[in-house]
Amino acid sequence: MPLVKLEKVFKHFPIGGGNFTALKDINLGFEKGEFSGIIGPSGSGKTTLLNIIGSLDTPSEGSAVVLGEPVEKLTEKQAAKLRSKYMGFIFQTYNLLPVYTVYENVEFPLLILKMSEEEIRKKVLAALEWVHLTDKINSRPSQLSGGECQRVAVARAIVKQPELVLADEPTANLDAENSYHILDTMVNLNKELKTTFIFATHDDKVIRYLKRKVHLVDGKVVKDEVVSSQ
Amino acid sequence: MIKFLLKGLLRDRSRSLFPILMVSAGVFLTVFLYSYMRGILGDMVDVSARFDTGQVKIMTRAYKELADQLPNDLALLGVNDLLAQLKKNKPAMLWLPRIKFGGLLDIPDKKGESRSQGPVFGLGINLRDPDSPEIKLLNLKKSLVRGKLPENKDEILISEAFAEKLGVNIGETATLLGSTMYGSMAMYNFKIAGTVRFGMLIIDRSTIFADINDVRLALDMADGASEILGFTKDMVYDDASMIKVAREFNQKYSNQNDEFAPLMLSLGEQGGLRDILQMASTLGSIIVTIFIFVMSVVLWNAGLMNGIRRYGEIGVRLAMGEPKGDIYRSLILESVGIGIAGSLLGTAIGLVASYWLQYVGLDISKMLQKSNILIPSVIRARVTETSYYIGFLPGLFASVLGTMFAGIGVYKRQTSQLFKELEV
């Protein structure tokens, strides 16, 4: 069974007196361990689709089953639980908590899972090791570069070793060198931990790394291509 | 998680220090304003009761109508009998006969010629008895500036300012020129035993205090008194119970058809003091209500601003899988902590300021040079039990209420919408 299965998904947003349809008849499946991307220009519905997969939103029509759970039927609490246990998020603007240190930012998802202090420490250090930031453990986000901030965000997304990591334009604010650095880290995580990555992007640097590219135009899937191993 | 949130709270001054200062300022104002108003109004009522109205006062019906003119020809007679009955019927209260009188005070020289003179207001009270409650009630011992309290017949106290104006010293003679109860001229020699100052210009200006027996002799008022004042022994005025005392007395003694029949009035029924009393009791709640409203609006606004500033954090927490309810609760919990800290700080500062005003006071005597109102010339606050908590609950509620209003935005907004705004 696929990790994510979308069937006849439509998403309408009320605008003025009528409706705007952001997603039209989406039928997609993502398997465990995929390194995939939803590609398309701005306004094509990438983020909306990612929100539905991330159980942050529900489809207006159709069904979205994520990790065996039908998103449209989940209560707010159940959706939160699904996210806290099985998903990690990476944002374009990092969204680190500015008053907390690198360590504290990364430990946050584990605090929600109510893990023991010892377990948290072990996992946080391992995650920071992955992104090569163990020397910045006590730094605040304001003391880090953009690339380092995004690496902290990656560590925070993968610290609980989630089944699924959703990344919305993760390299949009990074220069080429930092972008490749981050992407290499993610590829390694995907290989070693079998973590599934789904990106929403229109950045060529990211697209080059993807093993599957789902092209979205005006809310419709126009092309779904699997790239042979690079 | 609580430890984690607490760390954030302490590190982020805009979430902790500034809201705490804001709440403190509001609570401080509430405590100080309340204590200040209690002091002013309490002093006015208290001073009026001690010097003029009593907690209840008995006069004749006719005297009551012309009381401003000190009409001793309409005064009470048979006072000893009346006092005996009052003490028997209401033994828990103090009953004090007084004679108020006016006239001219003349200071003679060695030859007996007028050296100086001036209009005088006099108060005949039980003054010679060292155990007289009047001494404590009028705070005479502490008000003594020179000399001593009267111990012998015909000795009087004179206000210090009046003594200075007349150029009279301790031990000298002062002659009262006035009229007796029956309308003939009264001349009576008193001896100055001491001078007093109360810090109330209307009394300090030209007043003498004499023993009531000497005044009775001077004004031909045997067994008479202008009025009898009644006080509870704890000196705490309770309007309802004093009205009851007055009603019971009037049912028994007051005859509508006899203008010389005694009539008892409670403090609240004299000179519009009830309005002041009501104002005093409602003022606290008005202050608190206004404070809650204003502070709620201010803190609501601050909460909204803070919420907008914290959209990033809230969005991340939602994405990480923290339920909206938990986030909302943590925001409320934060505001409870801020409310408690701010209220404690504000109450402490408010109490310090109020105690300062209570013990040191603010001298406004220069502003009252020509005033005829019976108010103290030193403004003092009065810290009561209520002062300790009056600001605390509003401070806490306003803080929590503000956050609750602001937090509803987070709670009601679609998660994806919040998430979108976060990205913006």
Side-chain angles (χ1 to χ4, degrees):
Chain A
M1 191 185 173
L3 202 69
V4 177
K5 190 170 168 59
L6 306 170
E7 279 184 317
K8 295 178 183 170
V9 166
F10 283 80
K11 182 68 187 178
H12 313 294
F13 290 108
I15 288 185
N19 269 332
F20 167 72
T21 304
L23 295 176
K24 295 166 193 161
D25 195 19
I26 304 290
N27 293 284
L28 281 173
F30 293 94
E31 299 293 337
K32 184 173 169 56
E34 274 195 27
F35 200 80
S36 324
I38 302 158
I39 301 163
S42 294
S44 59
K46 301 187 299 289
T47 301
T48 305
L49 187 55
L50 213 64
N51 281 343
I52 290 174
I53 296 170
S55 74
L56 288 162
D57 207 347
T58 51
S60 308
E61 293 173 44
S63 130
V65 179
V66 179
L67 296 149
E69 302 285 348
V71 169
E72 64 277 10
K73 289 179 186 163
L74 295 178
T75 62
E76 198 274 320
K77 236 180 177 171
Q78 288 169 328
K81 198 174 177 186
L82 186 71
R83 287 196 298 274
S84 70
K85 272 191 161 177
Y86 305 110
M87 292 184 203
F89 288 83
I90 300 168
F91 313 100
Q92 177 181 336
T93 48
Y94 330 132
N95 287 313
L96 300 179
L97 306 178
V99 294
Y100 294 103
T101 63
V102 166
Y103 181 92
E104 288 160 350
N105 265 284
V106 177
E107 78 170 335
F108 184 63
L110 305 180
L111 291 173
I112 295 172
L113 291 172
K114 295 187 171 81
M115 285 187 180
S116 70
E117 215 165 302
E118 197 185 337
E119 206 175 347
I120 287 174
R121 187 159 186 80
K122 221 163 80 182
K123 283 181 182 285
V124 171
L125 291 177
L128 289 173
E129 191 103 29
W130 266 103
V131 295
H132 308 294
L133 275 177
T134 43
D135 56 330
K136 302 277 185 183
I137 200 165
N138 291 319
S139 302
R140 298 265 180 97
S142 57
Q143 297 166 307
L144 303 176
S145 67
E148 286 171 327
C149 281
Q150 194 60 300
R151 274 150 66 195
V152 177
V154 171
R156 183 177 61 185
I158 54 112
V159 69
K160 60 189 171 192
Q161 299 191 358
E163 296 283 332
L164 182 61
V165 172
L166 301 170
D168 194 358
E169 305 281 10
T171 54
N173 286 336
L174 300 179
D175 57 24
E177 193 188 335
N178 273 311
S179 296
Y180 290 129
H181 200 108
I182 287 286
L183 286 163
D184 285 337
T185 306
M186 292 194 207
V187 167
N188 288 338
L189 285 165
N190 172 251
K191 271 184 192 162
E192 295 194 23
L193 302 176
K194 301 285 176 229
T195 306
T196 308
F197 279 83
I198 301 176
F199 293 82
T201 186
H202 61 316
D203 183 349
D204 287 338
K205 298 189 289 291
V206 179
I207 294 169
R208 231 179 288 163
Y209 276 76
L210 299 176
K211 291 175 192 163
R212 181 182 171 197
K213 300 169 189 172
V214 178
H215 295 263
L216 212 60
V217 176
D218 293 336
K220 281 185 95 169
V221 176
V222 292
K223 197 172 167 190
D224 186 354
E225 53 175 335
V226 177
V227 183
S228 55
S229 55
Q230 293 170 13
Chain B
M1 182 61 108
I2 290 172
K3 201 172 139 192
F4 182 83
L5 293 173
L6 202 64
K7 257 189 242 174
L9 189 65
L10 292 175
R11 287 177 196 167
D12 190 350
R13 284 184 185 180
S14 62
R15 271 163 68 193
S16 50
L17 184 65
F18 299 140
I20 284 174
L21 289 179
M22 214 184 298
V23 175
S24 304
V27 172
F28 158 73
L29 284 175
T30 306
V31 173
F32 185 68
L33 208 61
Y34 175 80
S35 304
Y36 169 76
M37 294 308 293
R38 291 298 299 185
I40 295 239
L41 295 169
D43 272 358
M44 279 173 74
V45 170
D46 195 48
V47 165
S48 292
R50 286 168 193 266
F51 283 90
D52 183 24
T53 64
Q55 291 182 341
V56 287
K57 184 200 271 190
I58 303 167
M59 302 165 278
T60 64
R61 286 183 173 281
Y63 186 96
K64 182 208 158 216
E65 297 304 321
L66 300 167
D68 288 347
Q69 298 170 28
L70 309 178
N72 280 327
D73 52 328
L74 307 172
L76 289 162
L77 288 173
V79 168
N80 288 337
D81 275 354
L82 190 56
L83 278 173
Q85 287 175 55
L86 286 166
K87 283 173 186 170
K88 189 181 158 197
N89 294 335
K90 293 283 174 196
M93 289 183 71
L94 295 172
W95 298 103
L96 308 170
R98 287 182 181 177
I99 296 175
K100 284 180 180 171
F101 57 96
L104 198 67
L105 198 68
D106 184 273
I107 310 299
D109 59 16
K110 281 177 187 168
K111 293 178 191 167
E113 304 287 334
S114 284
R115 191 175 82 205
S116 59
Q117 56 180 215
V120 65
F121 167 75
L123 201 56
I125 55 176
N126 182 1
L127 193 55
R128 275 209 297 273
D129 177 3
D131 297 326
S132 166
E134 294 276 26
I135 293 171
K136 197 176 168 195
L137 201 70
L138 298 177
N139 202 19
L140 290 176
K141 276 186 184 164
K142 282 191 178 170
S143 305
L144 204 61
V145 180
R146 288 185 284 152
K148 60 178 179 62
L149 292 179
E151 290 166 356
N152 304 308
K153 190 172 177 303
D154 297 337
E155 283 186 335
I156 59 167
L157 293 172
I158 184 169
S159 56
E160 172 70 15
F162 194 33
E164 279 176 9
K165 187 179 159 194
L166 295 174
V168 66
N169 290 311
I170 308 297
E172 286 190 307
T173 299
T175 306
L176 172 72
L177 303 171
S179 71
T180 68
M181 186 176 183
Y182 302 102
S184 56
M185 190 171 178
M187 291 178 73
Y188 198 86
N189 284 338
F190 289 109
K191 198 175 165 190
I192 311 286
T195 64
V196 284
R197 181 164 49 222
F198 296 95
M200 285 174 287
L201 283 166
I202 189 169
I203 296 174
D204 287 339
R205 207 177 284 155
S206 54
T207 305
I208 59 170
F209 294 87
D211 186 81
I212 190 166
N213 292 316
D214 299 338
V215 178
R216 278 173 176 157
L217 210 59
L219 304 181
D220 201 6
M221 290 179 70
D223 203 15
S226 311
E227 51 203 33
I228 298 171
L229 304 189
F231 296 91
T232 54
K233 284 182 179 162
D234 60 6
M235 292 304 292
V236 176
Y237 178 70
D238 176 37
D239 199 36
S241 62
M242 288 302 111
I243 287 172
K244 194 177 163 213
V245 169
R247 198 185 300 135
E248 282 171 11
F249 177 88
N250 291 335
Q251 275 171 1
K252 194 168 178 184
Y253 295 98
S254 194
N255 179 351
Q256 295 272 7
N257 301 318
D258 180 3
E259 63 175 350
F260 290 103
L263 175 74
M264 187 186 282
L265 296 175
S266 70
L267 179 147
E269 290 165 318
Q270 301 172 59
L273 283 170
R274 171 158 299 125
D275 294 340
I276 294 174
L277 281 169
Q278 275 174 349
M279 196 164 79
S281 65
T282 53
L283 202 70
S285 47
I286 291 171
I287 290 170
V288 169
T289 309
I290 292 172
F291 170 67
I292 290 182
F293 179 72
V294 173
M295 286 306 283
S296 293
V297 171
V298 170
L299 289 169
W300 177 11
N301 192 38
L304 279 172
M305 297 294 284
N306 199 27
I308 289 165
R309 212 180 57 82
R310 292 176 70 187
Y311 257 19
E313 178 197 332
I314 291 165
V316 168
R317 286 167 68 176
L318 282 171
M320 299 293 150
E322 195 176 354
K324 273 198 275 191
D326 286 7
I327 294 176
Y328 189 55
R329 269 189 292 277
S330 76
L331 292 176
I332 301 288
L333 201 68
E334 256 183 40
S335 68
V336 169
I338 284 161
I340 289 174
S343 297
L344 282 175
L345 186 66
T347 301
I349 299 171
L351 285 174
V352 168
S354 302
Y355 271 118
W356 174 82
L357 198 61
Q358 180 170 314
Y359 290 112
V360 179
L362 195 64
D363 191 348
I364 56 160
S365 54
K366 282 182 185 163
M367 294 161 67
L368 297 172
Q369 293 291 355
K370 290 181 181 170
S371 168
N372 288 319
I373 311 166
L374 199 60
I375 55 169
S377 54
V378 178
I379 290 179
R380 292 184 192 280
R382 183 174 295 174
V383 178
T384 65
E385 273 180 26
T386 313
S387 309
Y388 280 81
Y389 61 79
I390 194 164
F392 193 85
L393 292 178
L396 184 59
F397 284 139
S399 177
V400 174
L401 222 59
T403 309
M404 279 169 80
F405 284 139
I408 286 169
V410 173
Y411 200 65
K412 286 203 165 171
R413 192 172 283 114
Q414 286 283 324
T415 306
S416 59
Q417 185 61 29
L418 197 71
F419 205 57
K420 240 184 245 169
E421 286 164 15
L422 156 72
E423 286 290 49
V424 170

